[in-house]
Amino acid sequence: MTATSALAANHSKDPAAVRAAARRLLTELPGPRSRELEAERRQHVTDAFGVTLPVFIDHAHDALLVDVDGNHLIDFASGIAVTSVGAANPKVAKRAAAQLERFTHTCFMVTEYESFVEVCRWLNEHTPGDFEKRTALFTTGAEAVENAIKVARAATRRANILVFDEAYHGRTQLTMAMTAKENPYRLNFGPLPGSVFRAPTAPAHTSPDGPAKALEKIEAILAEHGAETFAAMVIEPIQGEGGFIVQAPGFLKGIREIATRHGIVLVIDEIQAGMGRTGTLFASEHEGIAGDITLSAKALGGGLPLSAATGRAELMNAVHTGGLGGTYAGNPVACEAALAVFELLEDGKLLKNATFVENAVRRRLEPLVELDGVADVRGRGAMMAIEFRDASGPRGDLAVTAAKAANAHGVLTLTCGTNGNIIRLLPPLGIEADVLDEGLAVLEASIRSVLS
Ligand SMILES: Cc1ncc(COP(=O)(O)O)c(C=O)c1O
């Protein structure tokens, strides 16, 4: 291939041309055009938005992002667990484009459209829980969390909410109070709404004796404040921003039992872990539990903003008519995209591939746990993480340096955790084996380079 045709292939939006090239760096990252755009960004966009890698994307195909300089990046971020079916899935694009031509918006509270009902029907049929359900659609994850609390409070006529260590539920006023980490999520934004209490969890990797102690502590917190004052307990089945924390066996079942015993609404926040990410449609399926309300967002809309609260019919209908809604709630273009996502998930291949991702990540990264500075590889399906810690404690510096090295070599990774000492991997579920392997090889080399 001549230099000119190689460049043409790299700038081609033809998926075949993009795929054939896989990871390819034509410039250092960020490249010259990204640098120009970044300078513009600094002139016009608030600095309050952070950025993992200041590279501007031109187009995408499956697990590859192509930037404005023609560099091909392997995507281990999926826009934070959103583009699980790929960032340019043709089925999503086709349904969304057809809807764009028909109409963009009516507001479901003004006049209705079928796709909204179809999304609710699918979620009612597929979220865990063998009971009659109703669904409400919204736009963002935080909005789904906020509305679940409204429902729980209206249904129970109680005020208090129990959340957990390491929790992340969003950036709005209430969800910020529910989120555990101070900086950057809560810092300087107080006073925060009250009635939010925090309880410990039983992470599998730090709780060799199981969940009993944490469950006892939860009971003690409820007793202290009056279990009968709690409307909701809200938990992520695998904690995301907090560090990809899988709970010790029996912990989530224990929470389910406590909620039922005290008449507290159990809200399972599947916003990051749901929609096939862990190899099952919902992560709570691994634990054999069902929330009274289950929350979906992120991957639900295939990249378009859509979120949902799906719960017991008697709870979801306990709110007065007009009490829930939103101008953009369940936007018709996003609903069509979600219907495409459902078809893709029902096919089963993506769920299987999530398990393939887990095995490949474990094969590649688990041997690193022997190295000083690497403490743990954990997660489920295509939601995997590697934790950096040594005798001195959490090593956020190692995680950040290794992640930056991988990013600079064209493998987009994110960090997470209260101490920022975890690299998390969230590739699109359908990532091809060779692209995954190439990305993992780069990540492994990046980690080894910072540990040597
Ligand atoms: C578990 C969980 N809940 C809620 C949210 C908030 O979603 P959004 O950013 O769409 O408001 C997130 C986002 O990362 C999340 O991971």
Side-chain angles (χ1 to χ4, degrees):
M1 197 185 269
T2 64
T4 320
S5 63
L7 204 64
N10 275 299
H11 280 92
S12 168
K13 291 185 174 112
D14 170 19
V18 172
R19 178 63 199 87
R23 182 180 66 108
R24 177 171 295 187
L25 299 183
L26 298 180
T27 70
E28 63 173 354
L29 293 178
R33 182 62 187 139
S34 276
R35 282 179 198 274
E36 280 173 14
L37 290 170
E38 184 63 15
E40 285 286 304
R41 181 251 207 237
R42 293 293 153 196
Q43 290 297 311
H44 303 295
V45 182
T46 168
D47 286 341
F49 274 61
V51 62
T52 301
L53 181 63
V55 151
F56 284 72
I57 299 305
D58 181 73
H59 60 283
H61 176 63
D62 287 343
L64 296 176
L65 300 175
V66 181
D67 77 7
V68 288
D69 292 292
N71 299 303
H72 295 194
L73 316 182
I74 294 177
D75 183 10
F76 278 179
S78 297
I80 321 189
V82 169
T83 53
S84 292
V85 299
N89 187 292
K91 286 196 171 156
V92 172
K94 196 169 164 200
R95 280 196 87 132
Q99 180 59 43
L100 277 169
E101 297 224 328
R102 281 160 50 216
F103 61 92
T104 54
H105 173 84
T106 66
C107 184
F108 194 73
M109 300 180 301
V110 178
T111 53
E112 301 172 319
Y113 38 92
E114 192 175 347
S115 56
F116 190 115
V117 180
E118 285 306 306
V119 171
C120 293
R121 182 208 307 272
W122 192 94
L123 287 168
N124 292 343
E125 287 173 0
H126 290 86
T127 47
D130 190 15
F131 41 77
E132 195 181 340
K133 302 181 193 111
R134 294 289 185 276
T135 289
L137 299 182
F138 304 100
T139 310
T140 67
E143 214 188 345
V145 177
E146 292 261 359
N147 278 282
I149 300 303
K150 283 165 70 171
V151 169
R153 283 179 169 164
T156 61
R157 304 294 159 112
R158 302 170 176 182
N160 289 337
I161 306 161
L162 192 73
V163 293
F164 293 87
D165 287 344
E166 321 292 351
Y168 183 86
H169 297 295
R171 292 175 180 267
T172 57
Q173 290 289 333
L174 179 62
T175 59
M176 183 168 67
M178 295 167 67
T179 288
K181 189 172 173 177
E182 184 68 18
N183 188 357
Y185 304 121
R186 300 152 49 114
L187 187 69
N188 301 329
F189 298 142
L192 300 175
S195 307
V196 178
F197 297 86
R198 196 170 302 284
T201 57
H205 62 289
T206 55
S207 310
D209 299 332
K213 253 200 203 138
L215 292 171
E216 261 172 45
K217 182 77 187 151
I218 292 164
E219 285 284 18
I221 292 170
L222 291 175
E224 187 181 350
H225 300 284
E228 67 283 6
T229 67
F230 281 82
M233 294 165 70
V234 188
I235 190 150
E236 301 152 81
I238 296 180
Q239 292 178 306
E241 306 298 309
F244 277 37
I245 299 167
V246 179
Q247 299 299 331
F251 178 72
L252 286 157
K253 272 215 161 95
I255 297 267
R256 172 68 276 179
E257 190 277 316
I258 291 172
T260 304
R261 188 151 35 79
H262 294 297
I264 300 170
V265 176
L266 180 62
V267 179
I268 307 271
D269 179 345
E270 292 255 13
I271 287 167
Q272 188 158 159
M275 286 292 126
R277 176 56 51 192
T278 66
T280 50
L281 281 179
F282 292 90
S284 36
E285 290 171 45
H286 295 286
E287 310 289 339
I289 60 154
D292 300 305
I293 299 176
T294 298
L295 305 180
S296 307
K298 289 193 181 276
L300 172 65
L304 281 91
L306 185 67
S307 64
T310 303
R312 290 181 184 275
E314 66 274 21
L315 290 176
M316 299 301 293
N317 287 338
V319 177
H320 53 281
T321 298
L324 302 182
T327 304
Y328 296 108
N331 168 271
V333 183
C335 283
E336 286 292 334
L339 293 173
V341 169
F342 297 158
E343 276 174 36
L344 290 158
L345 290 176
E346 276 178 12
D347 170 273
K349 281 193 211 129
L350 291 178
L351 298 185
K352 252 198 210 142
N353 209 54
T355 307
F356 174 82
V357 170
E358 173 172 349
N359 292 335
V361 171
R362 289 194 182 281
R363 252 194 328 273
R364 172 73 69 164
L365 299 186
E366 275 179 350
L368 302 185
V369 175
E370 283 164 21
L371 304 174
D372 189 28
V374 178
D376 194 29
V377 172
R378 60 172 175 263
R380 276 200 180 119
M383 185 172 184
M384 298 297 294
I386 179 162
E387 175 170 357
F388 295 82
R389 176 186 294 277
D390 61 17
S392 68
R395 292 292 304 270
D397 57 325
L398 295 179
V400 169
T401 314
K404 276 195 163 62
N407 293 344
H409 287 93
V411 177
L412 188 58
T413 58
L414 303 170
T415 56
C416 67
T418 302
N419 299 294
N421 62 324
I422 290 149
I423 294 180
R424 56 173 155 168
L425 307 180
L426 291 162
L429 303 182
I431 188 168
E432 299 95 329
D434 56 335
V435 179
L436 176 64
D437 194 52
E438 186 180 352
L440 289 174
V442 170
L443 179 61
E444 180 188 350
S446 304
I447 293 170
R448 288 191 184 277
S449 73
V450 304
L451 293 175
S452 60

Short mmCIF file of all heavy atoms in Angstrom, two decimals, residues 80 139-145 168-172 175 236-241 269-273 295 297-298 307 424, ligand 1:
data_model
loop_
_atom_site.label_atom_id
_atom_site.label_comp_id
_atom_site.label_asym_id
_atom_site.label_seq_id
_atom_site.Cartn_x
_atom_site.Cartn_y
_atom_site.Cartn_z
N ILE A 80 -17.89 5.19 28.65
CA ILE A 80 -18.29 4.76 30.01
C ILE A 80 -19.51 3.84 29.95
O ILE A 80 -20.61 4.17 30.41
CB ILE A 80 -18.51 5.94 30.99
CG1 ILE A 80 -17.48 7.05 30.80
CG2 ILE A 80 -18.50 5.41 32.42
CD1 ILE A 80 -17.51 8.13 31.87
N THR A 139 -34.22 10.28 30.72
CA THR A 139 -33.16 10.61 29.76
C THR A 139 -31.78 10.18 30.27
O THR A 139 -31.03 9.52 29.57
CB THR A 139 -33.18 12.13 29.47
OG1 THR A 139 -34.52 12.49 29.13
CG2 THR A 139 -32.26 12.48 28.31
N THR A 140 -31.42 10.55 31.48
CA THR A 140 -30.10 10.20 32.02
C THR A 140 -30.22 9.20 33.17
O THR A 140 -31.30 9.03 33.75
CB THR A 140 -29.39 11.45 32.58
OG1 THR A 140 -30.12 11.89 33.73
CG2 THR A 140 -29.31 12.56 31.54
N GLY A 141 -29.07 8.63 33.53
CA GLY A 141 -29.06 7.70 34.64
C GLY A 141 -29.46 8.36 35.94
O GLY A 141 -30.27 7.83 36.70
N ALA A 142 -28.88 9.53 36.20
CA ALA A 142 -29.20 10.22 37.46
C ALA A 142 -30.69 10.51 37.57
O ALA A 142 -31.28 10.41 38.65
CB ALA A 142 -28.40 11.52 37.54
N GLU A 143 -31.30 10.82 36.44
CA GLU A 143 -32.74 11.10 36.44
C GLU A 143 -33.53 9.84 36.81
O GLU A 143 -34.55 9.93 37.50
CB GLU A 143 -33.11 11.57 35.04
CG GLU A 143 -34.20 12.60 34.99
CD GLU A 143 -34.63 12.87 33.56
OE1 GLU A 143 -33.92 12.48 32.60
OE2 GLU A 143 -35.69 13.48 33.41
N ALA A 144 -33.06 8.69 36.33
CA ALA A 144 -33.74 7.44 36.69
C ALA A 144 -33.62 7.19 38.20
O ALA A 144 -34.58 6.80 38.85
CB ALA A 144 -33.15 6.26 35.92
N VAL A 145 -32.43 7.47 38.76
CA VAL A 145 -32.23 7.27 40.20
C VAL A 145 -33.16 8.22 40.98
O VAL A 145 -33.87 7.80 41.90
CB VAL A 145 -30.76 7.54 40.61
CG1 VAL A 145 -30.58 7.40 42.11
CG2 VAL A 145 -29.80 6.59 39.88
N TYR A 168 -21.84 5.04 43.42
CA TYR A 168 -21.95 6.15 42.47
C TYR A 168 -23.34 6.10 41.87
O TYR A 168 -23.75 5.08 41.29
CB TYR A 168 -20.90 6.05 41.34
CG TYR A 168 -21.01 7.26 40.43
CD1 TYR A 168 -20.34 8.44 40.73
CD2 TYR A 168 -21.83 7.24 39.30
CE1 TYR A 168 -20.48 9.57 39.92
CE2 TYR A 168 -21.96 8.36 38.49
CZ TYR A 168 -21.29 9.52 38.80
OH TYR A 168 -21.43 10.63 38.01
N HIS A 169 -24.07 7.22 41.98
CA HIS A 169 -25.42 7.25 41.42
C HIS A 169 -25.67 8.48 40.56
O HIS A 169 -26.78 8.64 40.06
CB HIS A 169 -26.47 7.16 42.54
CG HIS A 169 -26.40 5.87 43.30
ND1 HIS A 169 -26.67 4.64 42.73
CD2 HIS A 169 -26.03 5.60 44.59
CE1 HIS A 169 -26.50 3.67 43.63
NE2 HIS A 169 -26.11 4.22 44.76
N GLY A 170 -24.68 9.39 40.42
CA GLY A 170 -24.89 10.52 39.51
C GLY A 170 -24.42 11.83 40.07
O GLY A 170 -23.79 11.88 41.15
N ARG A 171 -24.72 12.91 39.32
CA ARG A 171 -24.18 14.23 39.63
C ARG A 171 -25.25 15.27 39.92
O ARG A 171 -24.93 16.45 40.04
CB ARG A 171 -23.34 14.72 38.45
CG ARG A 171 -22.04 13.94 38.21
CD ARG A 171 -21.39 14.44 36.95
NE ARG A 171 -20.14 13.78 36.61
CZ ARG A 171 -18.92 14.19 36.96
NH1 ARG A 171 -18.78 15.27 37.71
NH2 ARG A 171 -17.84 13.55 36.58
N THR A 172 -26.54 14.90 39.95
CA THR A 172 -27.57 15.87 40.34
C THR A 172 -27.51 16.05 41.86
O THR A 172 -26.80 15.32 42.55
CB THR A 172 -28.95 15.37 39.92
OG1 THR A 172 -29.17 14.08 40.52
CG2 THR A 172 -29.08 15.26 38.40
N THR A 175 -28.53 12.73 43.72
CA THR A 175 -27.66 11.59 43.41
C THR A 175 -26.22 11.87 43.83
O THR A 175 -25.48 10.94 44.16
CB THR A 175 -27.73 11.19 41.91
OG1 THR A 175 -27.35 12.31 41.11
CG2 THR A 175 -29.11 10.74 41.53
N GLU A 236 -25.70 -0.72 43.57
CA GLU A 236 -25.27 -1.22 42.26
C GLU A 236 -24.89 -2.70 42.43
O GLU A 236 -24.16 -3.03 43.37
CB GLU A 236 -24.02 -0.47 41.79
CG GLU A 236 -24.19 1.03 41.64
CD GLU A 236 -22.85 1.76 41.85
OE1 GLU A 236 -22.05 1.81 40.91
OE2 GLU A 236 -22.62 2.27 42.97
N PRO A 237 -25.33 -3.58 41.54
CA PRO A 237 -25.02 -5.01 41.71
C PRO A 237 -23.52 -5.29 41.59
O PRO A 237 -22.99 -6.17 42.27
CB PRO A 237 -25.80 -5.68 40.58
CG PRO A 237 -26.13 -4.61 39.61
CD PRO A 237 -26.17 -3.32 40.38
N ILE A 238 -22.84 -4.55 40.71
CA ILE A 238 -21.37 -4.47 40.74
C ILE A 238 -21.08 -2.98 40.75
O ILE A 238 -21.55 -2.24 39.87
CB ILE A 238 -20.71 -5.11 39.50
CG1 ILE A 238 -21.01 -6.60 39.45
CG2 ILE A 238 -19.20 -4.86 39.51
CD1 ILE A 238 -20.40 -7.32 38.26
N GLN A 239 -20.37 -2.51 41.77
CA GLN A 239 -20.15 -1.07 41.85
C GLN A 239 -19.18 -0.63 40.75
O GLN A 239 -18.15 -1.26 40.54
CB GLN A 239 -19.65 -0.70 43.24
CG GLN A 239 -20.74 -0.91 44.29
CD GLN A 239 -20.28 -0.60 45.68
OE1 GLN A 239 -19.27 -1.15 46.13
NE2 GLN A 239 -21.01 0.26 46.37
N GLY A 240 -19.55 0.45 40.07
CA GLY A 240 -18.79 0.89 38.90
C GLY A 240 -17.70 1.89 39.24
O GLY A 240 -16.54 1.51 39.45
N GLU A 241 -18.07 3.18 39.33
CA GLU A 241 -17.07 4.22 39.58
C GLU A 241 -16.28 3.93 40.86
O GLU A 241 -15.12 4.30 40.99
CB GLU A 241 -17.75 5.60 39.73
CG GLU A 241 -18.65 6.01 38.60
CD GLU A 241 -17.92 6.13 37.29
OE1 GLU A 241 -16.89 6.82 37.23
OE2 GLU A 241 -18.38 5.52 36.32
N ASP A 269 -29.45 -0.44 41.01
CA ASP A 269 -28.95 0.50 40.00
C ASP A 269 -28.07 -0.28 39.02
O ASP A 269 -26.89 -0.51 39.25
CB ASP A 269 -28.15 1.62 40.69
CG ASP A 269 -27.59 2.62 39.70
OD1 ASP A 269 -27.55 2.31 38.50
OD2 ASP A 269 -27.14 3.70 40.14
N GLU A 270 -28.71 -0.69 37.91
CA GLU A 270 -28.02 -1.48 36.87
C GLU A 270 -27.54 -0.56 35.74
O GLU A 270 -27.34 -1.03 34.61
CB GLU A 270 -28.97 -2.54 36.31
CG GLU A 270 -29.34 -3.64 37.28
CD GLU A 270 -28.62 -4.96 36.98
OE1 GLU A 270 -27.68 -4.95 36.18
OE2 GLU A 270 -29.03 -5.98 37.58
N ILE A 271 -27.40 0.71 36.04
CA ILE A 271 -27.10 1.68 34.99
C ILE A 271 -25.79 1.38 34.29
O ILE A 271 -25.69 1.48 33.07
CB ILE A 271 -27.17 3.11 35.59
CG1 ILE A 271 -28.64 3.46 35.84
CG2 ILE A 271 -26.47 4.14 34.70
CD1 ILE A 271 -28.88 4.68 36.70
N GLN A 272 -24.77 0.96 35.04
CA GLN A 272 -23.48 0.63 34.41
C GLN A 272 -23.37 -0.89 34.13
O GLN A 272 -22.82 -1.28 33.11
CB GLN A 272 -22.30 1.08 35.29
CG GLN A 272 -20.97 0.93 34.60
CD GLN A 272 -19.85 1.81 35.14
OE1 GLN A 272 -18.70 1.50 34.94
NE2 GLN A 272 -20.14 2.91 35.80
N ALA A 273 -23.88 -1.71 35.03
CA ALA A 273 -23.63 -3.16 34.94
C ALA A 273 -24.68 -3.90 34.11
O ALA A 273 -24.47 -5.05 33.75
CB ALA A 273 -23.57 -3.76 36.34
N LEU A 295 -33.00 -0.11 37.66
CA LEU A 295 -32.70 1.06 36.85
C LEU A 295 -31.79 0.71 35.68
O LEU A 295 -30.79 0.01 35.86
CB LEU A 295 -32.02 2.14 37.71
CG LEU A 295 -32.79 2.53 38.96
CD1 LEU A 295 -32.01 3.60 39.74
CD2 LEU A 295 -34.17 3.05 38.60
N ALA A 297 -29.88 2.49 32.06
CA ALA A 297 -29.54 3.70 31.29
C ALA A 297 -28.34 3.33 30.42
O ALA A 297 -28.26 2.20 29.95
CB ALA A 297 -29.23 4.88 32.21
N LYS A 298 -27.42 4.25 30.22
CA LYS A 298 -26.19 3.99 29.47
C LYS A 298 -26.44 3.13 28.22
O LYS A 298 -26.95 3.65 27.24
CB LYS A 298 -25.15 3.35 30.40
CG LYS A 298 -24.60 4.37 31.44
CD LYS A 298 -23.38 3.82 32.12
CE LYS A 298 -22.79 4.76 33.17
NZ LYS A 298 -21.91 5.76 32.64
N SER A 307 -33.07 6.47 29.74
CA SER A 307 -32.96 5.73 31.00
C SER A 307 -34.34 5.24 31.41
O SER A 307 -35.36 5.70 30.86
CB SER A 307 -32.36 6.62 32.09
OG SER A 307 -33.21 7.71 32.39
N ARG A 424 -10.12 0.25 34.65
CA ARG A 424 -11.30 -0.54 34.32
C ARG A 424 -11.41 -0.70 32.81
O ARG A 424 -11.07 0.19 32.05
CB ARG A 424 -12.57 0.10 34.87
CG ARG A 424 -12.78 1.52 34.42
CD ARG A 424 -14.13 2.02 34.85
NE ARG A 424 -14.16 3.47 34.98
CZ ARG A 424 -15.27 4.16 35.12
NH1 ARG A 424 -16.43 3.55 35.17
NH2 ARG A 424 -15.23 5.47 35.24
C1 LIG B 1 -24.21 3.01 38.58
C2 LIG B 1 -24.50 4.36 38.00
N1 LIG B 1 -25.62 5.01 38.38
C3 LIG B 1 -25.91 6.22 37.89
C4 LIG B 1 -25.09 6.85 36.98
C5 LIG B 1 -25.44 8.21 36.46
O1 LIG B 1 -25.80 8.15 35.10
P1 LIG B 1 -25.74 9.48 34.22
O2 LIG B 1 -24.33 9.90 34.10
O3 LIG B 1 -26.35 9.06 32.90
O4 LIG B 1 -26.59 10.49 34.93
C6 LIG B 1 -23.93 6.20 36.56
C7 LIG B 1 -23.00 6.86 35.62
O5 LIG B 1 -21.83 6.54 35.50
C8 LIG B 1 -23.62 4.93 37.08
O6 LIG B 1 -22.51 4.27 36.73
#
